[in-house]
Amino acid sequence: MSRNKSQGLAVAARMNSTILVLATLDGLSYAALVFLVSVGLSLIFGVLRVVNVAHGSLYAYGAYMAATLSMIVAPISPWLTYPALLVASILVGVIIGGLMERFLLRPVYGRDDVLQLLITFAVFMIMDNLQRLIWGVQPIFASEPLKLLPNVSLFGVTYTSYQVILLPLIAIAALFGLRYFLRYTLAGAVILAVTEDREAATAIGIDAKKVYITTFMIGATLAALGGALASPTTSLVPGMGTDMIVLSFAVAATAGLGQIEGTAVTALLIGLARAFVIYIQPEFEVLVPYLIMVLVLLVRPMGLFGVNHVRKI
Amino acid sequence: MLPRSNAIRFAIFAGIVFAAVMPLFLTSWTTLVALILAKGIVVLGIIILLQAGQVSFGHAMFFAIGAYAAAFWGRRFGGADLAFLIVLGPLCATIFGILVGLFVVRYREIFFSMLNLAFSMVLWSLLEKMYHYTNGADGIRVPRPTFLGMAFSPDAFQYVLLYLTLALAIAATWAVQRYLDSPLGHMLRAIKANETRLEYLGMSARRVLLCGYVASAFLAGLGGVLVAVAQQIATPEFGFWTKSGEFVFIAILGGSANALGAFAGAAVFEIVRFFAAAKLANTWQLILGLVLIIIILFAPNGLIGLWQKKKMQDGRAP
């Protein structure tokens, strides 16, 4: 998606070094977005043991909501579109994520795994249709935040600083923020305790229900943030969430579900691989993430960074 | 598996008669009923895997393989006989089922689902991107085949397809029921209940699951051919992950404890889609999603479970 907007494309003579830099930058900005969505999925699975099929819908809603809010605040001051992106993702994550966990997932914990998977599949179907009813099926463009920041030149390639500086910075901030939150704060310790042993954690007075809903909201907000940040760089169309969900599955599963740092490395790997393939053999672009996923899972079913004991046999 | 009660026997009989007779009066329903039955055949395969507690989020790949087998054959040789296609499609799906199955049966639960998903997405992206061979997203037209050497007009062919699909659906249901009642089927359920014990009994859980997996791939391939012939096209959409989700959806909607649930679920699914799509665009998924949530939250055994419960209550009433 980023390649459409990459200003350097026109200048991209057939010089190999230029292509190399372009592909790297494309891959980097793409990986940043994919990381945000995948890490949310991974976090939710790590704590709740639920694969959230509606995760891609949260991504799409984040994008649409950000576009809507941007259009409202842009006339006041275009700079307000940046906080609008953040507000949009929190709104989507907390409200939709919270409602989903409280009223749909909570009743099915402890029942067949397939029911949890399917209930999020049902939410995906509902959200997909609602999205068409609310925002229509025509593509929406909201590139305001992209245009405000200056372009940068790197090794002779001009690129938007929104994509090559701001997006990776936010992804890195999210990575370290999550690490810090889970390792060095009380709330994070509580989440880890519930993940490790829900019963024992409940026995010492931890409210596991609260932990579940909080985690789900955080994960959902990360997905929506990925969408909100992607909204200036791409056109918003129906089906954008459908593609994103399998991609984030691929990244999260390749990394090993529940692995936060691993997700970052894998997102970078898949993002770069995809970007290079676009320049070498564009028709195989979609294939790359899934091929990597199949190959990795065949050799290491627990993922690249997963821990072995998750397997029963 | 199937409770051998008179009520169920009656339901099966009523269902068959309904599917056989009603399209004679409502011509527009012929293809719809054929589609329901074909989808039901695929869902039978999903139900086999659900007995072992495994959910495949990638079975649309075998569905697509069946459909594309018919499409490629039709394009290469101009036409085909339906009797041949319903052998070819499942055969191709079975071969792929064995190849993929050898890998995936080593994994359980979420890993099983994920790996199936990954394989199916690889197939989907190949179908979508190998434009030269597959026409990409446009798909390949499946010309109307002959049946046993006879050519039919479009109207007559609808009925040929319907009754063939009905016969295949009956045969498939019977075979699946026999399979699940057999020792091999019981071992399949033992994988869900306690896999370690199964291994201690000297059985190979992987081999048991592989049998079930290949059987389900066969059924998906058969359903794929029938749907491709009914809709006269095979597109990459047939192998997309949402299609796989749909099959699991139908299995849970109908009730996975019972082979009959496959057809009950498929009927509700296709009918809602048919009418919602005609009346209000962009709402059929919304309606089906709500139905699924209600079923999961309030009727965990699916439509068939609801119906059985009602029967039991009626039976107890004086």
Side-chain angles (χ1 to χ4, degrees):
Chain A
M1 42 179 116
S2 53
R3 77 194 147 119
N4 305 335
K5 299 278 171 166
S6 57
Q7 311 275 313
L9 210 56
V11 218
R14 277 155 201 83
M15 288 162 58
N16 280 332
S17 64
T18 317
I19 289 178
L20 199 72
V21 177
L22 259 182
T24 311
L25 296 182
D26 274 355
L28 198 65
S29 71
Y30 187 69
L33 291 175
V34 174
F35 166 72
L36 288 172
V37 184
S38 315
V39 81
L41 187 76
S42 211
L43 181 72
I44 291 175
F45 182 84
V47 179
L48 286 78
R49 299 276 134 188
V50 170
V51 174
N52 179 21
V53 181
H55 210 64
S57 313
L58 292 164
Y59 165 84
Y61 274 56
Y64 273 106
M65 187 61 93
T68 308
L69 282 188
S70 295
M71 278 173 215
I72 296 172
V73 298
I76 308 169
S77 158
W79 290 100
L80 280 176
T81 51
Y82 292 101
L85 298 183
L86 192 65
V87 171
S89 36
I90 293 175
L91 274 180
V92 169
V94 170
I95 296 176
I96 303 182
L99 288 175
M100 250 182 93
E101 201 281 340
R102 175 65 189 85
F103 293 105
L104 297 177
L105 286 172
R106 196 172 289 181
V108 293
Y109 291 136
R111 289 184 38 198
D112 253 347
D113 284 350
V114 52
L115 295 183
Q116 301 169 8
L117 196 73
L118 266 194
I119 215 154
T120 60
F121 183 73
V123 175
F124 155 76
M125 291 174 82
I126 294 171
M127 284 178 75
D128 188 75
N129 268 188
L130 278 181
Q131 175 194 318
R132 287 162 205 250
L133 293 174
I134 299 172
W135 286 289
V137 291
Q138 296 303 320
I140 293 180
F141 299 92
S143 56
E144 200 66 44
L146 190 71
K147 293 184 213 143
L148 284 177
L149 291 180
N151 287 342
V152 286
S153 268
L154 286 167
F155 306 105
V157 174
T158 312
Y159 220 104
T160 59
S161 56
Y162 177 84
Q163 281 174 298
V164 291
I165 297 174
L166 188 66
L167 291 187
L169 275 183
I170 292 177
I172 292 169
L175 170 64
F176 284 99
L178 265 179
R179 263 181 72 111
Y180 176 79
F181 174 67
L182 289 176
R183 303 245 167 98
Y184 301 104
T185 65
L186 183 61
V190 166
I191 290 180
L192 288 184
V194 173
T195 313
E196 205 61 45
D197 189 336
R198 187 181 169 159
E199 264 181 35
T202 316
I204 59 168
I206 292 173
D207 186 352
K209 282 181 186 161
K210 212 170 106 189
V211 168
Y212 273 27
I213 196 165
T214 317
T215 312
F216 199 87
M217 282 175 176
I218 296 173
T221 305
L222 284 167
L225 182 64
L229 291 172
S231 66
T233 66
T234 179
S235 56
L236 311 186
V237 288
M240 63 185 289
T242 322
D243 295 335
M244 188 40 112
I245 181 59
V246 260
L247 189 69
S248 58
F249 268 152
V251 171
T254 308
L257 286 163
Q259 301 296 319
I260 289 170
E261 293 84 357
T263 307
V265 178
T266 312
L268 202 58
L269 178 83
I270 287 184
L272 287 175
R274 178 181 166 280
F276 277 98
V277 168
I278 286 177
Y279 287 100
I280 301 163
Q281 200 78 44
E283 58 267 32
F284 291 125
E285 171 213 333
V286 222
L287 187 64
V288 173
Y290 309 121
L291 208 57
I292 293 179
M293 178 186 182
V294 167
L295 294 177
V296 168
L297 289 189
L298 283 181
V299 186
R300 284 182 64 89
M302 70 301 285
L304 286 176
F305 302 91
V307 199
N308 211 352
H309 67 75
V310 283
R311 273 192 67 198
K312 256 170 58 186
I313 51 158
Chain B
M1 219 7 353
L2 195 68
R4 299 269 181 260
S5 68
N6 285 331
I8 291 282
R9 282 211 187 112
F10 174 74
I12 296 173
F13 182 71
I16 293 173
V17 169
F18 187 71
V21 174
M22 197 205 46
L24 293 175
F25 300 102
L26 277 161
T27 323
S28 58
W29 280 60
T30 321
T31 309
L32 181 66
V33 175
L35 277 178
I36 289 171
L37 292 167
K39 281 256 172 84
I41 292 175
V42 183
V43 176
L44 281 177
I46 302 289
I47 287 181
I48 292 179
L49 290 176
L50 281 173
Q51 301 301 316
Q54 307 306 319
V55 193
S56 166
F57 238 68
H59 251 55
M61 74 179 131
F62 303 116
F63 183 71
I65 286 169
Y68 270 90
F72 280 131
W73 187 275
R75 194 168 68 170
R76 183 81 178 73
F77 301 101
D81 199 276
L82 188 53
F84 170 71
L85 289 181
I86 57 172
V87 177
L88 178 74
L91 189 70
C92 295
T94 306
I95 294 169
F96 269 87
I98 294 170
L99 292 176
V100 177
L102 282 173
F103 291 111
V104 297
V105 296
R106 291 153 60 204
Y107 309 116
R108 297 291 175 273
E109 292 163 6
I110 193 68
F111 302 102
F112 180 85
S113 304
M114 286 281 184
L115 205 55
N116 271 298
L117 175 72
F119 273 112
S120 79
M121 288 309 286
V122 167
L123 179 76
W124 171 79
S125 36
L126 286 176
L127 290 177
E128 176 105 356
K129 293 297 162 181
M130 304 288 271
Y131 192 84
H132 192 65
Y133 300 100
T134 63
N135 283 356
D138 296 340
I140 305 176
R141 237 182 64 80
V142 179
R144 193 172 60 249
T146 55
F147 184 57
L148 299 174
M150 293 173 283
F152 292 92
S153 69
D155 285 341
F157 185 74
Q158 280 190 350
Y159 287 99
V160 172
L161 188 67
L162 169 69
Y163 290 118
L164 178 69
T165 311
L166 182 62
L168 288 171
I170 295 169
T173 312
W174 179 79
V176 168
Q177 209 60 65
R178 284 296 299 264
Y179 169 54
L180 294 179
D181 282 338
S182 73
L184 203 56
H186 282 273
M187 281 191 260
L188 204 60
R189 254 167 289 152
I191 292 180
K192 183 180 185 178
N194 192 333
E195 184 165 346
T196 323
R197 271 195 199 175
L198 185 68
E199 294 270 353
Y200 272 101
L201 285 172
M203 311 296 171
S204 160
R206 284 181 190 174
R207 215 172 295 163
V208 170
L209 188 57
L210 185 63
C211 290
Y213 192 83
V214 173
S216 70
F218 175 90
L219 291 168
L222 181 59
V225 175
L226 294 168
V227 171
V229 170
Q231 297 187 331
Q232 298 189 1
I233 196 162
T235 65
E237 203 72 359
F238 280 38
F240 199 50
W241 70 270
T242 50
K243 204 56 144 189
S244 303
E246 232 176 79
F247 294 137
V248 183
F249 176 122
I250 295 173
I252 299 295
L253 180 67
S256 62
N258 201 305
L260 209 57
F263 296 98
V268 171
F269 190 93
E270 289 298 322
I271 289 171
V272 169
R273 165 144 75 186
F274 186 74
F275 284 104
K279 295 273 188 296
L280 297 150
N282 293 333
T283 53
W284 67 269
Q285 289 194 327
L286 186 79
I287 296 168
L288 282 169
L290 289 174
V291 170
L292 182 64
I293 286 177
I294 292 167
I295 290 278
I296 290 179
L297 292 183
F298 303 109
N301 294 323
L303 295 172
I304 292 291
L306 269 185
W307 185 72
Q308 279 174 336
K309 204 165 122 194
K310 189 176 172 305
K311 275 281 156 204
M312 267 160 68
Q313 280 165 353
D314 289 353
R316 249 183 263 128

